Amino acid sequence: MLPHFLDSVVELITRTSTDLPPDVRAAMGMAVGAEQPETRAGQALTIIAQNIDQAASCEGPICQDTGMPTFEIKVPVGANQIWLRGQIRAAVAEATRRGKLRPNSVDSITGENSGDNLGPGTPIIHFEQWEAAEIEIKLILKGGGCENTNAQYALPTELDHLGRADRTLEGVRKCILHAVWKAQGKGCSPGAVGVCVGGDRTSGYLHAKEQLFRTLDDTNPDPRLAEIESAVMNEANKLSVGPMGFSGNTSLIGCKIGALNRLPASFFVSVAYDCWAFRRLGITVDATSGRITAWLYREGTKPSQPMLSPQAVAAGFPSTGREVRLRAPITEEQIRSLKVGDVVLISGPMYTGRDQVHAYLMKNDPPVDLRGSVLYHCGPVVVKDAQGTWNVTAAGPTTSIREEPYQAEILKRYGVRAVVGKGGMGAKTLAGLRESGGVYLNAIGGAAQFYARCIDRVTGVSLMQFGTPEAMWHLEVHDFPAIVTMDSHGNSLHKEVEEESGAILETLRR
Ligand code: SF4
């Protein structure tokens, strides 16, 4: 068998999770250059750029949601796919043990986390035979926030702001623009879309995801699709959804379209949305030794070109001097003085809580006193060191809208004053913030390394039965930056940007 194969796959996973490829870096570099540094969008992109550099230099996950590992593999005729699959699964478990992947595989019936990213359907591994003598392995790590913003349209259909989408390429253009608008900041914009025109519901989504294996700067060999890709790039960036949905000049960094034949009765347009943390790499491997012979999407093992100067990375949060400092526990008066657009720097205790914690708190008292507290929608990567101390190695926000059914009730019952997450929340939470005197703070999605550096220590953990990402971690933080995007006076930046970008979308009807 191939003695070095397992190590090669562990190296591929590690690089993919920690170091963005040059084409994504170049696109994000252009996004940074398109915003004024002191604007909300500019500050968000500076944090993202710092995070990209920090992740590469410490070999830590770029985002705490290391996503669904999806392998596309080409093997020479005669390769033993059963053995290769077993080795890839072992490599995934090893990368998880090393903290390069977060344990992300959850039993859909019991909610139990397998702890090693192995389980029915995880990881995803697709094999294909080819005539070459080497093995090619491509990997994409696509997280849940952007996966949840995928969309599939059955044409003809009626779209908000864009009217009818017919079974034409013009209809396809409208669907893609609609998907980007609908995603707002929930998928950690600026993102990229892989699109499939046609196929059936299953093959359509698969082919759409496969488009994400193309580089962002390539040109579609089909001139009809190339034209739509370029039109979408141009028009989507007029929408002003902007980084993290804060409004701004870059909403999309890539649009890649493929097509499959369809049944006469069906016309699907499937859109796979990927976030700025677009983690995709590949290797070719010698089919006898298992050693890496070449890297795909990057120049060998050469260090990546940094996004920022070392001084800019070391400088940390790009302060304007207008930030509001908050120390938990926070009073109602402090919260009521905040308004949408304020940037806050939080210090003191902070508790994580995501899906399982919210469901738990609806039926049980909290394990800690939450009065005046800051509740962070986050499923961190946490590892125990040799002394038995927990250390957070990646800790960006998760998508908050999933907690919409619970949040207002939890604010009211337990006196939580600030909820930190990403992508914003809905009308029920907005009303709850007003009633209970709370505020929603948008942290920068995916900035897992940046935020891990704002955490001084882990002071405890509750509800560990839900697994590492879902447990309630007790953290001590300093100068943790976030933007007030929903205040206690009924204002929501998310609602504002959605309406304004919807009005722009209307002008793109043609
Ligand atoms: S950057 Fe955002 S959408 Fe992407 S994996 Fe991380 S949290 Fe999810």
Side-chain angles (χ1 to χ4, degrees):
M1 294 298 170
L2 293 62
H4 300 284
F5 186 78
L6 189 137
D7 288 344
S8 298
V9 180
V10 172
E11 196 176 337
L12 170 65
I13 297 169
T14 303
R15 266 288 165 101
T16 309
S17 176
T18 62
D19 197 356
L20 284 186
D23 61 314
V24 180
R25 284 169 175 267
M28 288 306 293
M30 284 174 68
V32 173
E35 305 290 349
Q36 294 300 321
E38 69 282 359
T39 59
R40 285 190 297 261
Q43 283 184 314
L45 284 168
T46 306
I47 289 176
I48 287 172
Q50 287 183 355
N51 185 77
I52 293 169
D53 286 346
Q54 287 163 339
S57 67
C58 72
E59 241 190 29
I62 295 161
C63 176
Q64 78 290 336
D65 185 353
T66 53
M68 175 65 84
T70 304
F71 295 88
E72 297 288 338
I73 303 167
K74 291 188 178 141
V75 292
V77 176
N80 184 338
Q81 294 179 17
I82 298 170
W83 185 86
L84 292 172
R85 185 183 292 275
Q87 292 291 293
I88 289 166
R89 289 171 62 83
V92 165
E94 176 58 18
T96 309
R97 195 188 63 73
R98 294 184 192 180
K100 307 303 177 189
L101 295 178
R102 184 179 70 180
N104 259 359
S105 177
V106 174
D107 184 309
S108 294
I109 314 299
T110 64
E112 202 177 314
N113 193 314
S114 71
D116 57 6
N117 272 308
L118 302 180
T122 26
I124 297 171
I125 305 172
H126 296 139
F127 284 104
E128 194 186 319
Q129 284 190 337
W130 68 348
E131 296 290 354
E134 293 191 310
I135 299 170
E136 180 189 270
I137 310 174
K138 290 181 177 174
L139 169 63
I140 193 164
L141 300 171
K142 185 171 180 298
C146 53
E147 186 67 15
N148 291 348
T149 59
N150 286 359
Q152 192 169 60
Y153 301 86
L155 302 192
T157 189
E158 282 290 324
L159 300 171
D160 317 302
H161 301 294
L162 287 164
R164 197 179 66 245
D166 296 314
R167 291 181 160 195
T168 59
L169 285 180
E170 171 55 15
V172 171
R173 179 192 71 92
K174 286 186 175 180
C175 291
I176 305 170
L177 287 174
H178 184 266
V180 175
W181 170 73
K182 197 84 187 147
Q184 292 288 312
K186 297 183 190 73
C188 292
S189 52
V193 287
V195 180
C196 174
V197 182
D200 65 8
R201 286 206 183 268
T202 315
S203 63
Y205 263 137
L206 181 61
H207 199 59
K209 195 171 182 180
E210 281 167 358
Q211 299 311 304
L212 298 173
F213 284 104
R214 286 171 52 196
T215 55
L216 295 179
D217 51 5
D218 75 355
T219 303
N220 199 312
D222 182 329
R224 299 162 303 177
L225 298 180
E227 196 182 326
I228 304 287
E229 287 178 359
S230 144
V232 167
M233 284 302 291
N234 183 23
E235 292 173 333
N237 284 318
K238 288 183 184 151
L239 286 178
S240 203
V241 168
M244 300 313 300
F246 291 167
S247 181
N249 297 319
T250 310
S251 306
L252 199 64
I253 55 171
C255 174
K256 303 288 147 188
I257 309 175
L260 293 177
N261 280 13
R262 59 183 172 84
L263 294 170
S266 308
F267 195 122
F268 298 112
V269 178
S270 309
V271 181
Y273 188 100
D274 208 344
C275 51
W276 68 260
F278 190 134
R279 291 150 292 177
R280 171 251 292 129
L281 277 181
I283 49 176
T284 55
V285 163
D286 181 276
T288 51
S289 69
R291 280 189 204 282
I292 295 173
T293 51
W295 283 87
L296 309 176
Y297 305 112
R298 58 174 301 135
E299 282 181 57
T301 51
K302 202 173 135 195
S304 301
Q305 186 68 30
M307 300 285 297
L308 301 170
S309 69
Q311 294 77 10
V313 177
F317 175 69
S319 168
T320 61
R322 296 190 299 272
E323 292 77 21
V324 179
R325 291 188 178 273
L326 291 177
R327 175 166 284 278
I330 307 169
T331 65
E332 180 172 354
E333 194 188 358
Q334 284 175 294
I335 291 297
R336 295 234 183 244
S337 71
L338 294 171
K339 52 187 190 321
V340 160
D342 286 343
V343 177
V344 300
L345 295 172
I346 308 162
S347 296
M350 182 182 273
Y351 300 99
T352 67
R354 42 180 291 161
D355 309 67
Q356 300 244 44
V357 166
H358 281 74
Y360 177 90
L361 292 179
M362 294 300 280
K363 293 189 187 147
N364 304 277
D365 287 338
V368 291
D369 184 354
L370 290 175
R371 280 172 297 177
S373 67
V374 181
L375 183 62
Y376 185 20
H377 294 165
C378 171
V381 180
V382 193
V383 284
K384 221 178 220 177
D385 64 22
Q387 287 72 44
T389 307
W390 288 109
N391 292 302
V392 176
T393 60
T398 190
T399 311
S400 299
I401 195 71
R402 299 194 308 273
E403 316 315 338
E404 180 67 5
Y406 317 115
Q407 202 65 75
E409 183 64 25
I410 286 168
L411 285 160
K412 190 173 169 179
R413 260 198 230 172
Y414 305 122
V416 172
R417 287 281 169 228
V419 173
V420 185
K422 61 123 171 149
M425 301 191 73
K428 198 173 160 192
T429 300
L430 192 59
L433 295 170
R434 188 204 283 260
E435 186 192 343
S436 306
V439 74
Y440 177 81
L441 305 169
N442 205 120
I444 308 307
Q449 289 304 319
F450 179 90
Y451 284 115
R453 284 158 178 72
C454 298
I455 297 169
D456 294 330
R457 63 198 171 97
V458 176
T459 57
V461 59
S462 312
L463 308 176
M464 205 39 182
Q465 67 270 29
F466 298 145
T468 318
E470 294 279 354
M472 177 183 263
W473 292 94
H474 312 180
L475 310 173
E476 188 71 24
V477 306
H478 72 273
D479 292 345
F480 182 110
I483 298 176
V484 179
T485 53
M486 294 167 69
D487 63 23
S488 61
H489 312 291
N491 303 308
S492 166
L493 178 72
H494 308 283
K495 197 162 160 268
E496 234 174 75
V497 173
E498 186 172 328
E499 284 169 6
E500 284 168 12
S501 54
I504 299 170
L505 192 62
E506 199 108 20
T507 67
L508 303 174
R509 261 172 184 250
R510 283 193 194 156

